[in-house]
Amino acid sequence: MSPWRSRLVVGESFVLGKYGLCVVRDLLSVSLVLRDNRNETSEVYYVELGEVSSLEVPATAVTSALRPRWDTLSESARQDALDKLEWVNQILTGYRSGLPELARKDEPWAPFAAGHHLTARAGLMAQQLTAERGLNREHRRRVERGEIQDRPISRSTVLDWIRKWQADGLWGLVDKKAARGRQGFNHLDARYQEAAKAEVDRFDGDISAVSLSEVLRRIDARLLKSGHDEVEVSERGKNAYVSWLLEARGKTPRSHRQHEIRGASGTTHALVLRPGQIVAIDATRADVRVISDAFGIAQSVEILVAIDVATRIILALRVVPMSADALDAGLLLYDAMRPFSQIVEGTTVHDWRWVGLPQNVQLDADQISTPGRRPLVHPGPDLQGVHHIPGVEPDAVRCDHGSVFVSQYFGDLLERFGIDLLLSRGSKPTDNAFMERWNETVQACLQGCPGYKGRNTSQRGRRVDTADSAHGEELLTTAQFQARLKRWVGLVYHRTSHTGLELGKPQGVDLTPLEAFDAYLEVTGRLDVPQNPNLLYQFLPIKWGVIGRSGVRFRNMDYDARVLDNYRNAYPGQFRDKDRAAPFFYDPHDVSQVWFTDPADGVVHPIPWRAAAMLKAPMTEAVLKQVQQRIKARGGAKALRRADIDRQILKELGGLAQKDPRRMSAADLRVDASRADHAEAHEAAQGGGDDVLKKWLADTDDDTPMPPTRFNPRKDAWPDLSQEDNS
């Protein structure tokens, strides 16, 4: 029961009725008698009265003649109707309230006294209202801003208000747009709604999309065929309802098919139950400028990240030049499949290192279930020692439609390892919301780096690209920036509670990504991903070449080493059936060498370019193409086959480094990353586990020739690429 109460006094209390204010004439046992502004009386039961909203009317209650529709209106719509009622009352009675009992000092106003024709009084009111509106400052501002037009109120408009009040009372003065609101389609005939839904449901991707008028015709035909030709619906109602149905289904057969499978995808999140089930990857611009070691110029870079959706663990992270290519995406997947460790010694934090099989961080299960523990973060002393970054073999990869992710190379790579590709829909960033959230989270690290340039140009300072010696900050090199990101991931992000980790979480506990990973392993089992140090070569393209007296030739460059001596006179079919060509692993990020697997012992050997010892500039495949184009433009096609081609390449490389330092700076970054990958693969082949990590802390000399590495792939885990031609 409503707690509303009102005090009613005969001759002093007023009630808002159908035609406006009514004065209380008499109080009976179960009802009261009212007199309205038309001098007519009516009896109203007490139970039919309701509370008046906070409007500027002297009423203590409202009758059922207005409720409940009156209650559904906004306050502005009700006040607008009451204002019109005042003007109508003033024209008809001379009193704005319509009642002599509520007369004001200047009422009744002579211009609206009885004796003047109704039309003349309406015209006079129109002039008065137009003048009052012209004095309204807010109205003038809206006119000046172009929001409304300054049209005078006409006499016919005022007469129309009077006619509507006489016909429907106060409700006739309500703006019908405000009264209509959002009615939905409940007023439509149910039979028409059923026929329309049945017709629109036919668009499931198998039939072609048609125009709205054709759909309306088919609905009418369906009703006629079913014997419901008497159904009447307005054209406006038909158009609005069918357009709404078609909008939900989409405009094209492709969107129709997506609508049909929306119960399984599109509107619900996939239930990710274990690490590696779905890995989200993305390339995003780093809002930090870094300095090139070799060229001393500031450059922009991108951050490639792979996130395990189930646990939010960062499986892999690479900093690459603008912009990432397909091989960068493939090597990110390579990093996700191999586990890492990171050593903290005192205040020194070393870079991530490959450690062989994944090792989970030890977790006390009883500690997780302790009530009131929030969040579960390891204390400071636990930061010392080895930190494990797990590696998994993904079931599926979630990414956007970036060219690097839809490339032929990346698609072949996923197919080779049996990994599904889940592409986000266009203009739907929520499909890969994990990466969108990461891009915001990583700002905590980026904003603390020298050279931070803001999220956009409006936030950019003037000294982004220069050293800030006044504050003791120098721009980071690419290697330093990548190491800083990895340290932040290992020591901060992985050990900070994540609000998105809810599945299976004990009540009152906030899990960190590391703890979530370990907790999932308690259910799914240990993830012993089959590892081999030469896993790297499974991610490199293969080129087939005939081994001759001067080695093997790719792109007019000769590669040679002693290990090829036994295969310089290979017979047809020795490596593949159709010819004498042998397979070589080829890294587009460093074409100064290729790699050859000796069939005799399964060892992978580096095969350097004949002039590699004189190479002083970085040489990627993209740089080599540009260099050879310059040579060809100067001396023709034969210039690429001359005996001094090596000397010409070296000379052009030196010239290109002077003319295009930014391109060469990006190439230098790719070459360094490639050599680091191959060096780690070699070092991992020499042993595994934490006992060898300390040996890897010393910097590797890039000029030191890379020793051969043992290649003995597990064919049940990794495919044998020796028979594939990806050149």
Side-chain angles (χ1 to χ4, degrees), residues 570-617:
Y571 55 85
Q574 186 171 357
F575 295 99
R576 65 178 179 181
D577 294 337
K578 56 185 178 181
D579 53 28
R580 298 170 51 239
F584 291 83
F585 295 110
Y586 180 82
D587 189 347
H589 289 174
D590 183 11
V591 296
S592 63
Q593 57 186 337
V594 294
W595 289 264
F596 174 70
T597 304
D598 190 346
D601 54 11
V603 173
V604 176
H605 297 267
I607 312 298
W609 175 42
R610 186 173 56 184
M614 297 181 289
L615 189 61
K616 300 299 182 183

Side-chain angles (χ1 to χ4, degrees), residues 556-582:
N556 297 295
M557 296 172 59
D558 292 324
Y559 299 84
D560 199 7
R562 291 186 179 275
V563 70
L564 301 181
D565 290 346
N566 296 330
Y567 308 101
R568 299 187 189 278
N569 192 27
Y571 55 85
Q574 186 171 357
F575 295 99
R576 65 178 179 181
D577 294 337
K578 56 185 178 181
D579 53 28
R580 298 170 51 239

Side-chain angles (χ1 to χ4, degrees), residues 384-442:
Q384 297 298 315
V386 179
H387 297 255
H388 296 278
I389 291 87
V392 298
E393 184 178 3
D395 291 345
V397 166
R398 163 72 73 183
C399 56
D400 57 25
H401 284 262
S403 59
V404 299
F405 303 126
V406 298
S407 64
Q408 182 69 35
Y409 161 77
F410 194 68
D412 291 344
L413 192 64
L414 296 181
E415 183 179 359
R416 183 182 307 163
F417 288 101
I419 301 173
D420 294 330
L421 178 61
L422 308 178
L423 291 175
S424 303
R425 294 170 294 174
S427 302
K428 296 289 184 180
T430 53
D431 283 359
N432 205 1
F434 318 103
M435 297 308 310
E436 300 301 326
R437 178 64 263 177
W438 157 259
N439 292 337
E440 295 298 323
T441 303
V442 76

Side-chain angles (χ1 to χ4, degrees), residues 241-423:
Y241 182 64
V242 178
S243 297
W244 174 69
L245 292 177
L246 292 174
E247 181 182 3
R249 189 157 291 265
K251 297 181 180 180
T252 64
R254 179 179 180 181
S255 59
H256 298 165
R257 288 192 294 271
Q258 291 178 344
H259 184 276
E260 288 298 307
I261 64 174
R262 194 161 290 170
S265 65
T267 60
T268 59
H269 292 292
L271 190 59
V272 185
L273 298 175
R274 58 182 175 80
Q277 187 173 349
I278 297 180
V279 172
I281 64 176
D282 192 21
T284 184
R285 179 201 64 190
D287 297 325
V288 173
R289 299 279 278 177
V290 299
I291 194 74
S292 169
D293 274 337
F295 295 87
I297 58 176
Q299 60 184 351
S300 296
V301 291
E302 285 188 341
I303 304 174
L304 276 168
V305 178
I307 299 179
D308 177 58
V309 172
T311 63
R312 306 302 199 272
I313 281 282
I314 303 297
L315 299 173
L317 184 149
R318 280 183 176 249
V319 175
V320 300
M322 294 283 286
S323 295
D325 58 23
L327 183 59
D328 288 324
L331 293 177
L332 181 74
L333 188 61
Y334 159 68
D335 286 344
M337 287 188 178
R338 59 174 182 152
F340 293 91
S341 279
Q342 189 171 52
I343 292 182
V344 178
E345 294 179 324
T347 59
T348 302
V349 181
H350 303 285
D351 199 5
W352 287 3
R353 296 290 180 172
W354 191 0
V355 296
L357 290 177
Q359 299 285 334
N360 62 308
V361 178
Q362 296 300 319
L363 178 73
D364 185 355
D366 295 333
Q367 195 178 21
I368 283 187
S369 59
T370 302
R373 191 170 183 276
R374 180 190 305 267
L376 184 64
V377 179
H378 294 288
D382 284 352
L383 295 178
Q384 297 298 315
V386 179
H387 297 255
H388 296 278
I389 291 87
V392 298
E393 184 178 3
D395 291 345
V397 166
R398 163 72 73 183
C399 56
D400 57 25
H401 284 262
S403 59
V404 299
F405 303 126
V406 298
S407 64
Q408 182 69 35
Y409 161 77
F410 194 68
D412 291 344
L413 192 64
L414 296 181
E415 183 179 359
R416 183 182 307 163
F417 288 101
I419 301 173
D420 294 330
L421 178 61
L422 308 178
L423 291 175

Side-chain angles (χ1 to χ4, degrees), residues 665-682:
S665 175
D668 183 65
L669 176 57
R670 295 195 187 281
V671 169
D672 286 346
S674 174
R675 292 182 179 179
D677 288 336
H678 290 283
E680 285 188 355
H682 164 67

Side-chain angles (χ1 to χ4, degrees), residues 423-494:
L423 291 175
S424 303
R425 294 170 294 174
S427 302
K428 296 289 184 180
T430 53
D431 283 359
N432 205 1
F434 318 103
M435 297 308 310
E436 300 301 326
R437 178 64 263 177
W438 157 259
N439 292 337
E440 295 298 323
T441 303
V442 76
Q443 286 292 317
C445 177
L446 299 182
Q447 293 181 12
C449 295
Y452 177 72
K453 58 181 180 180
R455 305 298 299 273
N456 51 60
T457 55
S458 65
Q459 300 177 358
R460 190 161 303 169
R462 294 180 299 173
R463 305 184 63 179
V464 172
D465 290 351
T466 60
D468 190 357
S469 56
H471 294 81
E473 291 187 334
E474 301 286 343
L475 293 183
L476 301 175
T477 65
T478 306
Q480 291 171 339
F481 177 55
Q482 179 171 275
R484 189 160 181 165
L485 281 172
K486 289 181 175 180
R487 293 167 191 169
W488 179 82
V489 167
L491 303 182
V492 179
Y493 173 80
H494 279 171

Side-chain angles (χ1 to χ4, degrees), residues 485-635:
L485 281 172
K486 289 181 175 180
R487 293 167 191 169
W488 179 82
V489 167
L491 303 182
V492 179
Y493 173 80
H494 279 171
R495 293 172 172 269
T496 303
S497 58
H498 199 298
T499 56
L501 299 174
E502 292 290 336
L503 186 62
K505 185 188 73 171
Q507 186 176 4
V509 172
D510 290 337
L511 293 179
T512 69
L514 281 179
E515 292 164 344
F517 185 84
D518 290 326
Y520 274 57
L521 289 188
E522 295 293 330
V523 179
T524 62
R526 179 180 162 87
L527 297 177
D528 286 337
V529 180
Q531 293 291 325
N532 185 279
N534 293 294
L535 174 64
L536 170 65
Y537 302 104
Q538 304 288 338
F539 289 80
L540 296 182
I542 289 181
K543 285 185 174 292
W544 291 81
V546 177
I547 303 173
R549 292 178 179 270
S550 58
V552 63
R553 170 164 291 200
F554 297 117
R555 296 193 62 86
N556 297 295
M557 296 172 59
D558 292 324
Y559 299 84
D560 199 7
R562 291 186 179 275
V563 70
L564 301 181
D565 290 346
N566 296 330
Y567 308 101
R568 299 187 189 278
N569 192 27
Y571 55 85
Q574 186 171 357
F575 295 99
R576 65 178 179 181
D577 294 337
K578 56 185 178 181
D579 53 28
R580 298 170 51 239
F584 291 83
F585 295 110
Y586 180 82
D587 189 347
H589 289 174
D590 183 11
V591 296
S592 63
Q593 57 186 337
V594 294
W595 289 264
F596 174 70
T597 304
D598 190 346
D601 54 11
V603 173
V604 176
H605 297 267
I607 312 298
W609 175 42
R610 186 173 56 184
M614 297 181 289
L615 189 61
K616 300 299 182 183
M619 186 168 61
T620 63
E621 185 178 50
V623 169
L624 179 61
K625 287 181 180 179
Q626 184 176 4
V627 165
Q628 291 187 343
Q629 287 174 358
R630 293 167 63 92
I631 295 174
K632 183 178 179 180
R634 186 178 64 248

